Amino acid sequence: MDARNFSISSDYPIDKVIYMTSGSVTISGYNYNDVTIPHGLPFTPLTTDIYSLTPSFDTSYEYNSGPVQTDPLLSSPFLYNTGSESDSTNITLRHTNNSPSSVTIYYRVYGFMPSTVNEEAAWTASVADNFVMNSDYNYTKLFDAGVTAYSDIPDSIETINHNLGYRPQVMAWSEESSVVYSRNFTSLYPDGSNDGGAIYIDENSIIFQRQFFLFNASRLHYRIYIDE
Amino acid sequence: MSRPEQFTINTDYATIKNDGANNSLSVVVPSSVSVAGGTIYSVSDVVSVGSVSSNIRAQVWSSKDDRWVLGAAVSYSRMGIASGSPASYEVLVTVTRESSTTVRLTAFIRNPYNVTLTGASGTETIHAEVRTFLSPFV
């Protein structure tokens, strides 16, 4: 039985979002604005953030994504950099405006419980959409969630075998000095060297390659889904 | 309050929905690529994928690397020729929302030299596969 063909499968957990918040921030041209939010959780959540330039969120960008700069190779590829990081107390949203004009960024943040934690968490369904379950949609089914060992060896590789036979959806976070960072920017060199860390996905495994410039021991949290 | 990870399915917690949409994009950087000094070469592809307010997860593949990489922005180096000598340059690949329901894949090459840069490593095809999902807020 292929669980991908079902909206929900009792063989695999769905994502349980244990933290949600939203807001907006206005940033003047060529400036940045960090937003610090106490999360009130007894653990450090794995957060991810999305943003939009309109409160309707019709066009919604993932963190470290969005409209591309005129010269995207000069510094950041994007007009607006966003990203979230979390520690035991706070979630910090880092926003940078690489454009000359002031901009208002509308952000939405949500988080998961790390695989190393099994704590109580306040319910979040009431702040989500009208239907937590809607059979019009397919729900991401978690195949595996885990965390790699700590290492301070640059370019070191961790391989997680999933043996699904296809490339699954993956989410990942890096943790360094007890701060967890959401990740989706990849910088790599095909000759095998690497200056930014990379996450490779193939039909049987996920390969995490650490950053070349690594100042502290780091480990990676990951979530691998049955869904392609 | 409950321990959410003790339940396979728990309607007390918000979750993430797949809207079932996916699409592929590709661009070709030809072996004959020539970039004037100090300028940027780009090639892009746009497709429709996903519903309004959906977010993307992208995986990128290059015919020169043959491994799929997770990311909305991927950069790597290549060797070309400038003034008759080998010269390295950076390729940046971005996969991002173009509008509420379209996604653009772009490959950028910036010539950091003040002379023309030409490719030397043959034609390169870059693919991206995009899946969309709806955040708990939608």
Side-chain angles (χ1 to χ4, degrees):
Chain A
M1 187 174 66
D2 191 336
R4 288 174 291 175
N5 296 330
F6 296 86
S7 292
I8 296 170
S9 168
S10 57
D11 291 336
Y12 302 97
I14 62 167
D15 278 321
K16 270 86 70 179
V17 172
I18 47 81
Y19 183 85
M20 295 172 68
T21 192
S22 60
S24 65
V25 59
T26 298
I27 314 165
S28 56
Y30 298 125
N31 212 332
Y32 68 93
N33 194 321
D34 296 341
V35 178
T36 300
I37 306 167
H39 56 66
L41 298 165
F43 54 86
T44 301
L46 305 178
T47 60
T48 189
D49 60 288
I50 55 179
Y51 77 95
S52 182
L53 303 179
T54 60
S56 68
F57 269 80
D58 283 355
T59 300
S60 180
Y61 303 105
E62 304 69 47
Y63 61 93
N64 278 340
S65 176
V68 177
Q69 291 209 64
T70 306
D71 185 350
L73 289 152
L74 196 58
S75 54
S76 164
F78 304 109
L79 274 179
Y80 316 110
N81 285 106
T82 70
S84 64
E85 56 190 67
S86 57
D87 60 23
S88 60
T89 307
N90 295 317
I91 295 168
T92 303
L93 304 174
R94 302 200 184 279
H95 302 101
T96 302
N97 179 2
N98 298 313
S99 79
S101 307
S102 176
V103 66
T104 297
I105 287 179
Y106 301 86
Y107 60 81
R108 291 171 170 172
V109 183
Y110 55 97
F112 304 104
M113 189 177 286
S115 61
T116 50
V117 174
N118 184 11
E119 296 273 357
E120 289 192 341
W123 297 325
T124 56
S126 61
V127 289
D129 62 346
N130 292 330
F131 301 98
V132 173
M133 294 293 171
N134 181 333
S135 58
D136 289 341
Y137 296 109
N138 188 15
Y139 289 82
T140 46
K141 292 166 278 292
L142 193 62
F143 175 72
D144 188 19
V147 59
T148 66
Y150 280 106
S151 173
D152 59 0
I153 302 172
D155 261 356
S156 60
I157 284 174
E158 305 267 359
T159 300
I160 308 297
N161 293 315
H162 57 75
N163 295 317
L164 289 167
Y166 55 85
R167 287 179 286 104
Q169 291 190 26
V170 176
M171 296 183 78
W173 296 259
S174 61
E175 180 180 341
E176 189 176 326
S177 301
S178 299
V179 179
V180 176
Y181 304 87
S182 52
R183 291 189 51 143
N184 78 346
F185 185 92
T186 300
S187 179
L188 67 145
Y189 290 88
D191 61 1
S193 64
N194 186 313
D195 78 344
I199 300 169
Y200 300 102
I201 302 173
D202 67 28
E203 285 78 5
N204 295 304
S205 60
I206 311 295
I207 300 165
F208 300 101
Q209 188 169 13
R210 287 188 169 80
Q211 291 178 309
F212 180 71
F213 297 106
L214 198 61
F215 300 107
N216 296 294
S218 70
R219 63 178 185 173
L220 289 153
H221 297 260
Y222 59 88
R223 295 172 74 83
I224 302 172
Y225 296 95
I226 280 290
D227 313 271
E228 290 180 81
Chain B
M1 301 263 285
S2 66
R3 292 179 187 264
E5 297 309 323
Q6 290 184 335
F7 299 89
T8 301
I9 296 165
N10 187 328
T11 56
D12 289 330
Y13 295 92
T15 189
I16 294 172
K17 299 176 282 288
N18 272 330
D19 61 358
N22 63 83
N23 211 334
S24 300
L25 305 92
S26 65
V27 295
V28 175
V29 179
S31 58
S32 59
V33 65
S34 177
V35 188
T39 65
I40 296 172
Y41 167 90
S42 68
V43 58
S44 65
D45 186 19
V46 179
V47 297
S48 296
V49 61
S51 50
V52 171
S53 299
S54 64
N55 292 101
I56 64 172
R57 284 186 188 140
Q59 298 180 13
V60 175
W61 176 90
S62 162
S63 58
K64 296 289 184 186
D65 191 29
D66 211 25
R67 293 186 293 184
W68 288 89
V69 178
L70 177 72
V74 178
S75 65
Y76 50 84
S77 67
R78 291 282 181 262
M79 290 300 292
I81 300 290
S83 293
S85 301
S88 73
Y89 60 91
E90 184 180 359
V91 179
L92 170 68
V93 178
T94 60
V95 187
T96 188
R97 273 278 179 220
E98 174 81 354
S99 71
S100 60
T101 57
T102 60
V103 171
R104 178 181 291 272
L105 163 69
T106 308
F108 298 93
I109 296 172
R110 181 166 178 265
N111 180 355
Y113 309 103
N114 57 10
V115 296
T116 297
L117 174 75
T118 55
S121 52
T123 297
E124 178 172 9
T125 303
I126 298 162
H127 292 285
E129 286 198 356
V130 175
R131 310 279 167 175
T132 58
F133 66 96
L134 296 169
S135 79
F137 297 88
V138 178

